C-alpha cells in the first residue's frame, strides 16, 4: 500500500540479487509465485532494485558489432514497407525526388545574389554538384580568377544582373567607401543615380590607392 514500507527477508533479497539481470516483468512473476508475495507489484520490485543498485546491465542500445535481431529478414508481404499502400510512395531504382535540383538550377540567396548549381565537387559534403555565386562563376570564365585581395562589385547596383560586363574587380578595402550612409557622409553607390555611379566608384578607388601608397611608404 502507498505510504507503508515494504519489507523483504534475507532469502528474498539474496534471490533477487542473483537474478538482477532478469527482465523485470519475468522477475516479478517468478518472485510472486516462489515467495507468495502477491502484495507486491512489478513497480515495487523495480524500485527496490534501483535502490540497491541492482541494474540489469542493459542500456537499450546496440553494442558495437552487435547485429540487429531482424538482420537479413524481409518484412512479410502486405505489412510494413511491403504493404501495397507503402509501395505506392517508395522510390524506384534510379528515380529521383520531384524536388531534385539539377545541374544549372538557380536560386536567390538571402543576400540578394543568384546562386547556380555547377559540376564541381562540394568540399563540405563531397557531392558532385555545388552552388556558387553565378556572377562570380561567369566573370571568372570570362576573365580568369579574381585577384587576391579583390572582390567583384556590380556596376549598375543590381546584384541579380550576372552579366560579366556588369561586374568589376576592385580592392576589398574600397568597399566601405561605396556603402555610404550617414556615418560616412558619402552617397551609397548602389542607390545613387546612374550618372553619379562612375564618379563615386572612381573616387573610392582613388582613395583606396592613395591609402595603399601611404601605408607602403610608412
Amino acid at each position: 500500500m502507498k505510504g507503508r514500507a515494504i519489507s523483504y527477508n534475507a532469502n528474498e533479497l539474496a534471490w533477487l540479487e542473483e537474478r538482477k539481470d532478469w527482465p523485470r516483468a519475468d522477475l516479478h512473476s517468478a518472485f510472486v509465485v516462489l515467495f507468495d508475495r502477491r502484495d507486491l507489484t512489478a513497480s515495487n520490485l523495480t524500485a527496490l532494485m534501483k535502490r540497491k543498485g541492482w541494474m540489469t546491465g542493459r542500456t537499450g542500445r546496440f553494442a558495437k558489432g552487435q547485429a540487429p535481431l531482424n538482420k537479413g529478414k524481409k518484412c512479410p508481404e502486405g505489412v510494413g514497407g511491403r504493404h501495397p499502400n507503402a509501395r505506392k510512395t517508395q522510390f524506384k531504382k534510379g528515380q529521383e525526388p520531384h524536388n531534385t535540383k539539377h545541374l544549372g538550377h538557380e536560386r536567390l540567396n538571402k543576400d540578394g545574389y543568384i546562386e547556380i548549381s555547377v559540376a564541381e565537387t562540394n568540399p563540405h559534403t563531397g557531392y558532385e554538384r555545388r552552388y556558387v555565386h553565378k556572377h562570380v562563376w561567369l566573370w571568372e570564365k570570362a576573365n580568369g580568377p579574381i585577384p587576391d585581395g579583390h572582390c567583384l562589385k556590380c556596376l549598375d547596383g543590381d546584384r541579380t544582373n550576372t552579366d560579366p560586363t556588369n561586374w568589376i574587380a576592385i580592392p576589398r578595402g574600397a568597399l566601405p567607401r561605396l556603402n555610404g550612409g550617414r556615418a560616412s557622409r558619402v552617397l551609397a553607390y548602389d542607390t545613387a543615380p546612374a550618372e553619379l555611379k562612375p564618379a563615386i566608384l572612381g573616387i573610392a578607388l582613388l582613395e583606396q590607392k592613395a591609402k595603399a601608397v601611404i601605408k607602403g611608404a610608412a
Side-chain angles (χ1 to χ4, degrees):
M1 289 179 62
K2 186 176 180 180
R4 188 180 67 180
I6 300 175
S7 60
Y8 302 87
N9 61 42
N11 290 336
E12 291 172 340
L13 293 174
W15 187 91
L16 289 170
E17 184 177 9
E18 289 177 4
R19 294 158 182 81
K20 62 185 179 183
D21 57 344
W22 283 25
R24 295 304 182 236
D26 296 342
L27 184 71
H28 173 256
S29 298
F31 184 81
V32 168
V33 173
L34 182 62
F35 294 97
D36 193 23
R37 292 296 303 268
R38 305 188 185 279
D39 58 316
L40 298 177
T41 64
S43 297
N44 295 145
L45 282 186
T46 298
L48 170 69
M49 305 297 273
K50 286 182 178 179
R51 290 197 301 272
K52 294 290 188 180
W54 296 339
M55 300 293 103
T56 63
R58 294 186 296 274
T59 63
R61 304 175 183 175
F62 281 104
K64 188 175 182 179
Q66 181 182 358
L69 297 177
N70 60 350
K71 182 179 180 180
K73 295 181 180 180
K74 286 188 176 181
C75 186
E77 286 286 351
V79 300
R82 303 184 76 180
H83 190 278
N85 291 340
R87 287 188 167 182
K88 290 179 182 178
T89 60
Q90 292 172 357
F91 285 107
K92 307 298 186 293
K93 188 175 182 180
Q95 183 181 358
E96 293 184 321
H98 71 280
N99 58 349
T100 298
K101 303 300 185 291
H102 295 283
L103 190 67
H105 176 264
E106 297 181 6
R107 67 187 185 189
L108 189 68
N109 69 16
K110 63 181 182 179
D111 296 318
Y113 294 100
I114 294 178
E115 296 178 334
I116 184 172
S117 175
V118 300
E120 295 179 5
T121 301
N122 189 313
H124 305 291
T125 65
Y127 190 57
E128 61 186 9
R129 296 193 299 271
R130 71 173 184 139
Y131 281 95
V132 297
H133 284 139
K134 185 177 180 180
H135 68 279
V136 175
W137 187 67
L138 292 176
W139 192 92
E140 289 188 331
K141 281 187 172 298
N143 303 284
I146 299 174
D148 290 341
H150 287 62
C151 61
L152 296 184
K153 176 63 182 175
C154 56
L155 295 175
D156 66 357
D158 180 8
R159 296 179 178 182
T160 63
N161 182 355
T162 59
D163 189 315
T165 61
N166 184 49
W167 297 81
I168 182 174
I170 65 172
R172 287 190 177 277
L175 278 180
R177 295 177 170 83
L178 297 174
N179 292 334
R182 292 181 179 179
S184 63
R185 296 182 181 179
V186 175
L187 189 62
Y189 179 89
D190 288 347
T191 57
E195 60 270 20
L196 295 182
K197 286 186 182 331
I200 296 173
L201 179 59
I203 293 173
L205 293 177
L206 186 62
E207 290 179 346
Q208 172 62 23
K209 186 174 182 179
K211 180 179 179 180
V213 171
I214 294 174
K215 185 177 181 181

